[in-house]
Amino acid sequence: QTWGVPKANVLIQIWFPSQGSSSSTAPDFRSADGRVASRLWQIALADRLSEDYYDAKVAGLRVGCASSIVGLSLSFNGYSDRLPVFLEEVLRKIRDFDGPSKAEFARAMDEVTREQAAFDVQQPFLHAAYFSRLASMTPEYTIESLRAARSRATADRVQNFGKFLRSTEETFFGQVIIHGSLSRSAADRMLKALDTLPFKGAVPTNPSPSDFSSSLLRSRLAKLPAGQDVMQIRREPNPANVNSAIISVFWTGDTPRNGVVTELLEAILKDPFYGSLRTQQQLGYIVQSQNDSIGDVGRIALIIQSSVASPQRLLLAIDEFLASFRSQLVSLPESQLSQFKASLQEEILKPDQRLGEESGRWWSEIAGFQYRWRRAQEEADLVASISQAELLQFFDEKIAAGSPERRRSTTAVFAVSPGCDAEMAKMAAAAKSKGTVVIEDPLQFCKSQEKWPIRDKAPPA
């Protein structure tokens, strides 16, 4: 009724259990081999569904599937009167999918090969983000391990992964949202069809929040020691690219208030950062700041890619900017702060424009185990309460050099050149002299760190 269209969306997440498979023949989905097998299986399934349901797509009914490190996802959307029958038919096809066939496996392998080859020609700032992710999140896999896993992949192994998914002995957990213009009977019919999927048993019937974090395979984020800067220094994987890059990430905490203060601070910082390093100093053609959250943990990332300056020079420019930016915060007029706050509130409270946007917003609460249905209004109210003094204190604690609470991770990628090894060693030595931890093995570093807690909420009754 809200959207005036007779359509609906069904979104499904199937989580892998944290303990892995009990089968000796199925690839361990917690490994690079398992990650590649799940991706190949998903591509082959998508191939099969695309061929079988082309006419349905023309008629406005769509199905999608995706794989991730922690599980599989399915999506259905289309006209409400046809969606229940379409859902039943596609789920039956998925349950019976015994592929990939020889041809489907070959096509899936070709797609994965091309995906992995595309890594080499990504821009250096994306390579910096990749190295940064290896050191901060688990599980993650290096491109080398994924390529090795691809070379070992066989159609039999992928089919065994499919058998593992269909096994009634394995324990999965599923989440579903059915959202749109639907009658109660149509929704009940779809729920009955969904009950045939093997995503029960990984958690108790009446789960507590801790059951989700302990029983399901979840991405975990390294919690750097307070007051400790860390750094990675890497060669650019593409020797033909003449650009270097740097990403400096500030982890700002895991409370809802920290999240909105992070957003507001980055909104104020964005234009001055670009204006100083791009427009005035002309250090690189990619100069940007970003803010987001991984789980509940907020972060600000400062990113530069340059063909004219080394990562060491770029890092110095970031530090000099941050040192000068504090005075801009101090002198920020109250009227201008109010404008920043009003703009952020408007963005947070911006109404959904389509059914899919509303479905996605509710789904993010469900898939994130948060269920904060009034999140937008709550965050807008928090923004309204932020004072200039709080903003300055937040900057001093989370961003400013020398703060005992700062958690900063910097990743530098050097363009390959005759003198790059010496420059990399020089940057590492300078970092160590200031007490910065220089990371040699990002996966091992992440494994050794304390993790930010998972703050799941209990599902609503």
Side-chain angles (χ1 to χ4, degrees), residues 44-300:
L45 174 64
D47 189 5
R48 180 83 60 90
L49 295 178
S50 177
E51 181 178 343
D52 290 350
Y53 294 107
Y54 174 80
D55 290 341
K57 182 177 180 179
V58 173
L61 295 167
R62 290 176 171 81
V63 56
C65 59
S67 65
S68 71
I69 286 176
V70 297
L72 300 167
S73 59
L74 301 167
S75 62
F76 300 83
N77 64 80
Y79 291 101
S80 306
D81 59 337
R82 304 174 185 175
L83 195 57
V85 175
F86 181 62
L87 179 76
E88 290 173 338
E89 171 62 25
V90 175
L91 290 182
R92 188 179 307 112
K93 181 77 68 173
I94 292 173
R95 289 195 306 272
D96 296 340
F97 178 61
D98 58 357
S101 66
K102 184 177 180 179
E104 288 167 341
F105 177 74
R107 290 194 293 269
M109 281 289 284
D110 179 65
E111 184 167 340
V112 168
T113 300
R114 285 186 283 110
E115 288 174 351
Q116 294 180 352
F119 171 86
D120 295 331
V121 294
Q122 287 180 344
Q123 289 298 314
F125 80 96
L126 293 176
H127 287 145
Y130 156 78
F131 289 121
S132 179
R133 189 170 64 251
L134 292 181
S136 58
M137 296 190 69
T138 185
E140 283 288 341
Y141 310 108
T142 65
I143 185 65
E144 293 82 7
S145 68
L146 292 172
R147 285 170 172 163
R150 186 200 73 223
S151 71
R152 294 188 293 265
T154 64
D156 286 343
R157 285 191 178 190
V158 179
Q159 288 172 351
N160 284 337
F161 179 83
K163 292 176 182 177
F164 152 70
L165 290 174
R166 296 193 300 272
S167 172
T168 58
E169 298 178 1
E170 302 294 345
T171 54
F172 296 92
F173 179 74
Q175 294 170 301
V176 179
I177 182 172
I178 301 174
H179 180 241
S181 177
L182 284 166
S183 67
R184 180 69 198 186
S185 61
D188 287 342
R189 181 175 178 177
M190 287 194 282
L191 282 172
K192 185 177 180 180
L194 289 163
D195 277 340
T196 64
L197 286 176
F199 54 88
K200 296 180 180 179
V203 296
T205 303
N206 297 306
S208 67
S210 61
D211 290 321
F212 298 116
S213 59
S214 63
S215 301
L216 310 182
L217 183 61
R218 307 286 294 277
S219 291
R220 301 299 305 273
L221 183 63
K223 185 176 183 180
L224 302 179
Q228 178 67 69
D229 284 9
V230 303
M231 181 182 293
Q232 283 192 86
I233 302 172
R234 296 283 179 260
R235 272 185 168 220
E236 163 55 31
N238 181 6
N241 197 312
V242 299
N243 292 282
S244 296
I246 196 162
I247 293 183
S248 200
V249 179
F250 299 84
W251 304 95
T252 58
D254 62 346
T255 68
R257 189 169 192 88
N258 275 357
V260 296
V261 177
T262 299
E263 288 188 69
L264 180 59
L265 179 61
E266 192 272 331
I268 298 170
L269 175 149
K270 181 185 293 290
D271 286 345
F273 181 67
Y274 181 88
S276 175
L277 279 71
R278 175 68 179 92
T279 306
Q280 297 175 17
Q281 301 181 54
Q282 298 185 358
L283 289 178
Y285 64 91
I286 294 178
V287 175
Q288 61 189 43
S289 64
Q290 298 176 350
N291 83 84
D292 61 7
S293 295
I294 298 179
D296 297 319
V297 185
R299 65 176 178 175
I300 291 177

